[in-house]
Amino acid sequence: MDSPVSYEAHGEIGVIRVNNPPVNATSAAVRQGLVAAADQFAASAQKVAVLMADGRTFIAGADIKEFGKPPVKPHLPDVIHHIEALEKPVVCVIHGTALGGGFEVALGSHYRVAVKGARIGLPEVNLGLIPGAGGTQRLPRLIGMIPACEIFTSSRQVGAEECLSLGIVDAVIDKSPIEAGLDFARRVLDQGLPVRRVSEMSVAPYAEPDLAALKTKVARAQKGHVCHLRGIDVAVEGGELPFIEGMKIERQGFWDLMQTPQRAAMIHAFFAERKTASLPELKGIAPRALGHIGVIGGGTMGGGIAVSCLLSGLKVTLIERDAEAAQKASDGIAKTLTDSVKRGKLKPEARETLLADALVTSADYHSLAEADLVIEAVFETMEIKKDVFTKLDAVCKPGAVLASNTSYLDVDEIAAMTNRPEDVIGLHFFSPAHVMKLLEIVVAAKTAPDVVATGFALAKALKKVPVRAGVCDGFIGNRILKTYRTAGDHMVLEGASPFQIDKALVDFGFAMGPYAVADLAGIDIGYLTRQRLLPGRDPRERIGDWGDVLYHKGRLGRKTAHGHYIYDAQSPKGRPDPEVEEIIAAERAAKGITPRDFTDAEIVERYMAAMINEGAKVVGEGIALRPLDVDVTKLYGYGFPRFRGGPMHYADHIGLDSVLATINREAQTDDFFWQPAPLLQQLVAEGRDFSSLNEG
Ligand code: 3H9
């Protein structure tokens, strides 16, 4: 087989070219090829070499697919050492993104040139790792300890110009990679520039308090992660030693982290979030047009969807019920775009152009006549949705995609209001829609395949993470949420406080606990959901009433400064309200429940068992295609800790038999709520795990 690395002579300049699509990862063949090409250059008459890559990007890192498998020689640090040890200079040309091991190859080269627009980064922490091919040792020697640690702990991508000012690259050249490389190589020849090895430099002195401040910041921002602080320790310890000793410390840190469940979880998340978008059913199916988006409703959700579309270059027509509401929606969108300008995400002139040319607000449904895809984001009742879809059916052009942003209603029932159910789909955005990455794409019974493809194309255009979901109350995300929230409520009824539950789950790694989330979303939302489901309630269901009491007291959460927590100047993020405990205690007393203590571990065990069990039902019923779709939904829409990979990955980690044992144990006291998912039982019986369903 041809090597993915080639060597060619351009007079006095040798060119080492990596060609390993799609992102030139340093697979075993690339590593072998780099060593062979370096040897060829060493033995050749060429005086300087250009090291570059073909395709859309320079090397984007080590081949992540190899992680967790037995390592194959040559190892990347040795390959890089081999290049750096050459006695003739090597100029590395960076285009696209030089990430992880790719950037480490560049650091092992003697000179670095960035093509305009190129970026570098050390994103290993996103995989639960630290740079393992010299990144923690060479970068501090090149640019100083603090900026180096900031780069690899933040995993941010550093643009070409900033690289130049930090001293990471020697030049930024606005030419093709090969021309840029040859230009700089000629400069090396003309000026007689020598071999310059970063490993022979020493780390510049730095202020200890600055390092301490960075550590504190990182510890706070990356709570629960083990790799970030280990990276700083490795860089600091190694930076005080000869390079070769420092490399040993880095290697040890890298391999220690490679064995952790966090590494396995984060690599699972990396591949899972890419897999949700590649559906076999969409192979070869072209999406419909989506240049012009209609949005019905200019509230928080509709406004956020409109902003998301505008920022992605799509034309938006937003419909509100009257001129005044349309103006209000337009003002809200303008304000959000102003915030984007303030955050540096949008140029002021671009904001003006978007508002003037790309956005129309109107109270007339006929303004949607030319829209390619319309997303309804009106109040969440079936009657209102049906009315909207009847109107859309009358005014939209043939072939327009008609989407509902409902978060739980029956999309089949909504589609039945039109004469074109094949054009109807659910597109469930998460609030704030211009920020949250998840998009549940709800495929109804009659939805046409190219309409599904259009949903996925929209997600791509909006840079969202799409997950295919089937129709059921709450789809994937909210259906599972309802179940684990109920498990939490049961524990409150039995004696745990909402505050202990929130704390146990935040300590587990969740961004927020369920009761803090309820305050954020609004206690009224939970109340209305309970009211909606009341008629179909089974008498065996155990339901807490304290949420209704809070609702009737006007304690609607953050928006009224009181919910489960009190929000004021003293505690803007909220502090537990003892009155809530009193309300709950009264309910327990009225129901004859003697409260008992819970440990945090017990809370997590029960909460997670409920989440996993419902996740297994969702997969078993075909609402989610695979366990990984559940994981991605929870990671991107519900604050599930990424370093645990998602609930189904976590279940595999703790063992499906132990999850089933928890469910069976709880079923002894409540066999209505705790009904084991048939899929979970089957997998346990067969000795398999959820990951076996992710393949293919
Ligand atoms: C590392 O380097 C460790 C070293 O320090 C030490 C080693 C000893 N490997 O994202 P996309 C696949 S750790 C294997 O859709 P984009 C990806 O799965 C690594 N495969 O494209 C997808 O496959 P498919 C540090 C990889 O243009 C396809 O490429 N580096 C890798 O939106 C296209 O990817 C990173 O963490 C890989 N390294 O974004 C960088 N990378 O088509 C991770 C991608 O079958 N990668 N694939 O679904 C990225 O951030 C983005 O992929 C990138 C391109 C920005 C490069």
Side-chain angles (χ1 to χ4, degrees):
M1 211 183 82
D2 284 348
S3 169
V5 184
S6 63
Y7 180 79
E8 70 213 23
H10 288 242
E12 292 186 295
I13 304 169
V15 175
I16 299 171
R17 220 182 250 272
V18 181
N19 183 2
N20 185 29
V23 296
N24 289 311
T26 60
S27 61
V30 168
R31 299 196 299 275
Q32 284 152 11
L34 280 171
V35 171
D39 289 345
Q40 207 174 337
F41 166 57
S44 75
Q46 281 78 51
K47 294 184 177 150
V48 54
V50 170
L51 197 172
M52 58 168 289
D54 282 341
R56 58 173 151 137
T57 179
F58 186 68
I59 300 168
D63 189 338
I64 303 170
K65 291 191 202 82
E66 289 181 357
F67 290 176
K69 298 181 185 152
V72 177
K73 284 188 177 171
H75 303 312
L76 190 59
D78 300 334
V79 175
I80 295 171
H81 179 72
H82 198 74
I83 294 169
E84 195 187 42
L86 289 167
E87 298 295 342
K88 298 187 279 186
V90 176
V91 176
C92 181
V93 187
I94 299 169
H95 77 288
T97 43
L99 300 178
F103 179 45
E104 290 170 304
V105 168
L107 286 170
S109 304
H110 307 120
Y111 295 93
R112 282 159 295 281
V113 176
V115 167
K116 206 160 189 284
R119 283 165 290 141
I120 66 92
L122 291 169
E124 286 85 347
V125 287
N126 294 338
L127 305 170
L129 291 168
I130 56 172
T136 69
Q137 301 304 305
R138 285 194 179 87
L139 194 57
R141 284 171 167 80
L142 185 65
I143 65 167
M145 186 58 75
I146 310 288
C149 289
E150 188 277 324
I151 286 175
F152 70 70
T153 52
S154 68
S155 77
R156 75 185 173 98
Q157 293 188 358
V158 186
E161 299 300 334
E162 190 184 348
C163 283
L164 190 62
S165 64
L166 283 169
I168 291 174
V169 298
D170 301 287
V172 178
I173 300 180
D174 190 7
K175 289 190 176 170
S176 70
I178 182 68
E179 286 171 2
L182 293 176
D183 265 16
F184 199 88
R186 281 187 209 106
R187 201 187 301 178
V188 171
L189 289 173
D190 293 347
Q191 298 177 11
L193 297 178
V195 158
R196 187 193 58 179
R197 299 185 182 101
V198 175
S199 65
E200 290 170 1
M201 301 174 181
S202 45
V203 181
Y206 55 88
E208 285 294 341
D210 290 349
L211 184 72
L214 178 68
K215 276 180 139 175
T216 308
K217 190 175 148 202
V218 169
R220 199 175 302 134
Q222 307 297 342
K223 213 173 123 247
H225 289 259
V226 290
C227 57
H228 299 73
L229 290 178
R230 180 77 187 260
I232 297 182
D233 289 346
V234 159
V236 169
E237 206 183 324
E240 288 161 2
L241 299 170
F243 177 80
I244 207 78
E245 296 302 317
M247 280 303 289
K248 285 184 194 156
I249 287 173
E250 181 189 86
R251 201 80 196 136
Q252 188 61 51
F254 183 78
W255 283 112
D256 286 351
L257 291 165
M258 191 63 95
Q259 314 309 322
T260 59
Q262 290 199 358
R263 189 277 304 162
M266 292 176 81
I267 288 184
H268 164 75
F270 177 87
F271 286 116
E273 71 201 17
R274 282 163 177 77
K275 261 192 160 174
T276 57
S278 68
L279 297 189
E281 71 189 70
L282 295 184
K283 272 225 164 77
I285 300 205
R288 298 184 188 176
L290 48 74
H292 181 178
I293 308 295
V295 178
I296 318 276
T300 312
M301 194 47 103
I305 294 171
V307 168
S308 181
C309 293
L310 288 170
L311 289 174
S312 302
L314 305 174
K315 201 175 154 199
V316 173
T317 299
L318 186 142
I319 305 294
E320 258 295 356
R321 61 183 177 283
D322 55 36
E324 196 186 327
Q327 185 56 46
K328 204 171 154 211
S330 173
D331 294 346
I333 292 170
K335 187 181 168 303
T336 310
L337 291 178
T338 304
D339 294 343
S340 300
V341 171
K342 280 189 197 148
R343 288 203 318 274
K345 301 253 180 234
L346 186 68
K347 296 233 159 63
E349 353 24 296
R351 174 187 176 277
E352 298 313 314
T353 314
L354 287 181
L355 290 172
D357 300 343
L359 175 68
V360 172
T361 54
S362 163
D364 182 359
Y365 270 69
H366 289 96
S367 313
L368 295 172
E370 291 308 314
D372 298 315
L373 185 156
V374 181
I375 307 165
E376 156 286 303
V378 298
F379 196 67
E380 208 51 358
T381 69
M382 188 52 98
E383 291 66 39
I384 299 178
K385 305 269 186 202
K386 282 183 172 177
D387 179 50
V388 167
F389 273 79
T390 308
K391 286 182 181 145
L392 289 179
D393 196 23
V395 300
C396 289
K397 66 183 179 188
V401 174
L402 311 182
S404 172
N405 177 56
T406 179
S407 48
Y408 54 82
L409 293 172
D410 185 340
V411 183
D412 287 316
E413 203 178 327
I414 294 173
M417 295 313 294
T418 70
N419 292 308
R420 36 174 144 173
E422 67 281 2
D423 294 343
V424 177
I425 192 164
L427 292 177
H428 180 207
F429 289 78
F430 289 71
S431 189
H434 61 294
V435 177
M436 293 290 281
K437 297 282 266 178
L438 181 64
L439 181 61
E440 267 183 308
I441 298 187
V442 187
V443 180
K446 294 187 178 161
T447 309
D450 63 343
V451 169
V452 182
T454 312
F456 278 83
L458 179 72
K460 192 168 182 199
L462 304 184
K463 297 195 180 67
K464 304 242 176 262
V465 178
V467 175
R468 185 200 195 280
V471 175
C472 69
D473 196 291
F475 316 125
I476 301 176
N478 281 346
R479 170 168 161 183
I480 300 175
L481 164 71
K482 184 169 150 273
T483 303
Y484 58 78
R485 170 61 204 263
T486 303
D489 289 357
H490 288 170
M491 290 189 274
V492 171
L493 282 177
E494 290 169 38
S497 84
F499 314 118
Q500 188 197 357
I501 291 184
D502 277 356
K503 185 179 173 306
L505 293 163
V506 168
D507 288 349
F508 177 78
F510 276 94
M512 292 167 96
Y515 301 101
V517 170
D519 279 4
L520 189 65
I523 300 268
D524 44 333
I525 304 280
Y527 173 78
L528 292 175
T529 304
R530 282 189 295 279
Q531 291 299 306
R532 178 173 65 85
L533 297 174
L534 202 58
R537 289 258 183 243
D538 189 290
R540 290 168 294 174
E541 266 184 85
R542 284 191 289 158
I543 305 161
D545 296 330
W546 76 91
D548 297 355
V549 178
L550 294 182
Y551 172 81
H552 289 301
K553 280 178 173 271
R555 302 179 54 133
L556 304 185
R558 281 195 183 220
K559 58 187 162 194
T560 57
H562 280 78
H564 295 92
Y565 295 83
I566 300 170
Y567 304 88
D568 57 15
Q570 185 194 334
S571 57
K573 289 186 179 163
R575 67 175 184 281
D577 187 346
E579 194 194 337
V580 173
E581 305 240 41
E582 286 165 22
I583 293 169
I584 294 166
E587 183 180 344
R588 288 187 198 120
K591 289 181 168 158
I593 300 167
T594 309
R596 71 168 180 90
D597 288 340
F598 278 79
T599 64
D600 287 1
E602 206 177 351
I603 289 170
V604 170
E605 182 190 49
R606 254 220 234 179
Y607 195 79
M608 287 308 305
M611 192 182 304
I612 294 160
N613 197 35
E614 195 65 27
K617 289 180 188 173
V618 158
V619 175
E621 292 168 24
I623 300 297
L625 281 185
R626 300 148 295 196
L628 68 85
D629 295 277
V630 173
D631 284 341
V632 171
T633 304
K634 290 290 141 188
L635 287 172
Y636 279 95
Y638 297 83
F640 194 95
R642 191 175 171 87
F643 64 81
R644 297 197 190 269
M648 313 313 268
H649 177 87
Y650 175 75
D652 283 351
H653 170 62
I654 59 173
L656 298 195
D657 47 353
S658 102
V659 177
L660 187 58
T662 304
I663 294 166
N664 287 335
R665 185 192 68 215
E666 294 303 324
Q668 287 170 12
T669 42
D670 182 352
D671 62 358
F672 177 74
F673 180 76
W674 292 98
Q675 298 179 33
L679 178 65
L680 180 62
Q681 289 173 311
Q682 182 195 334
L683 290 175
V684 170
E686 293 172 0
R688 292 164 64 201
D689 58 16
F690 287 125
S691 77
S692 66
L693 304 174
N694 286 334
E695 271 119 47

